[in-house]
Amino acid sequence: MVFAPDTEVALRSVVNLINTAANGEEHLATVRDLDDFLEAEGFTGSRTRDGAELASVRRLRGELAELWQAGESAAAETVNRLLREARALPQLVKHDPWDWHLHATTPEAPLADRMSTEAAMAIVDVIRSKEMDRLLVCAADDCDAVVLDLSRNRSKRYCDTGNCANRAHVAAYRARKAAS
């Protein structure tokens, strides 16, 4: 394990959120799409379930996507701004199926604030651990999805949104066959 379990869960949720707009596709087109995403990611707390909430999450998605290619200092500035704007106050909590973990907003805070704070808190751990190189963009030439490399040997290069790794391996195999 590279990070605390709640950090890894938050980082995977950030990857999944960013990748809802990968490769020119929009997977958060409707409030229902957002409902499905939040259910799959296990987000809890209050919701307005309206277009404004959807728009705020989509804006957040863009800001978080920029972190994947930001340097450490720029990432720290963004994280600090997100935490400041949400008026984050870290606290240990235990609820539902989760053991002790950090929350920095109340369950009643706006969804985008809760999501940005959770993402920012996870990125704080990434920055403090000097692990920004684990935040990658898919190595496939035709893919712009993001990748979180939590492998022990830092070998993950392809996203989980499609068959990028498989396509790359098949192409490499065919190239080797053609060369021999």
Side-chain angles (χ1 to χ4, degrees):
M1 178 178 352
V2 178
F3 301 108
D6 57 325
T7 296
E8 289 188 11
V9 167
L11 289 170
R12 284 188 180 103
S13 288
V14 172
V15 167
N16 293 339
L17 176 62
I18 294 168
N19 287 343
T20 62
N23 303 316
E25 296 181 20
E26 178 55 72
H27 295 282
L28 286 182
T30 67
V31 172
R32 180 66 195 155
D33 293 339
L34 179 58
D35 291 343
D36 293 343
F37 173 81
L38 296 171
E39 183 178 328
E41 296 300 318
F43 272 93
T44 59
S46 68
R47 296 276 314 284
T48 60
R49 289 186 169 78
D50 60 16
E53 183 177 69
L54 175 62
S56 66
V57 170
R58 288 174 66 173
R59 271 191 306 278
L60 172 63
R61 176 181 65 190
E63 290 182 86
L64 295 175
E66 291 174 11
L67 286 172
W68 246 248
Q69 297 189 45
E72 187 177 84
S73 294
E77 286 179 29
T78 299
V79 162
N80 285 336
R81 181 182 49 76
L82 292 172
L83 292 170
R84 195 172 42 252
E85 288 174 355
R87 295 189 170 104
L89 181 60
Q91 313 167 51
L92 277 172
V93 296
K94 188 176 186 179
H95 63 88
D96 302 317
W98 303 102
D99 201 353
W100 291 108
H101 60 284
L102 283 174
H103 275 210
T105 59
T106 66
E108 297 78 32
L111 175 64
D113 284 354
R114 292 193 323 272
M115 292 176 77
S116 68
T117 301
E118 188 168 317
M121 295 291 289
I123 300 295
V124 163
D125 283 352
V126 173
I127 293 168
R128 288 177 21 176
S129 301
K130 300 290 188 194
E131 297 284 1
M132 288 292 292
D133 59 339
R134 291 186 179 274
L135 310 181
L136 308 166
V137 175
C138 184
D141 293 336
D142 60 344
C143 184
D144 64 3
V146 297
V147 176
L148 173 63
D149 182 7
L150 295 177
S151 65
R152 189 177 294 178
N153 64 357
R154 298 173 185 263
S155 61
K156 187 169 174 105
R157 296 290 171 255
Y158 297 98
C159 71
D160 297 326
T161 64
N163 296 316
C164 293
N166 189 43
R167 285 185 292 115
H169 294 129
V170 168
Y173 171 80
R174 289 180 179 158
R176 285 191 307 274
K177 283 294 198 185
S180 60

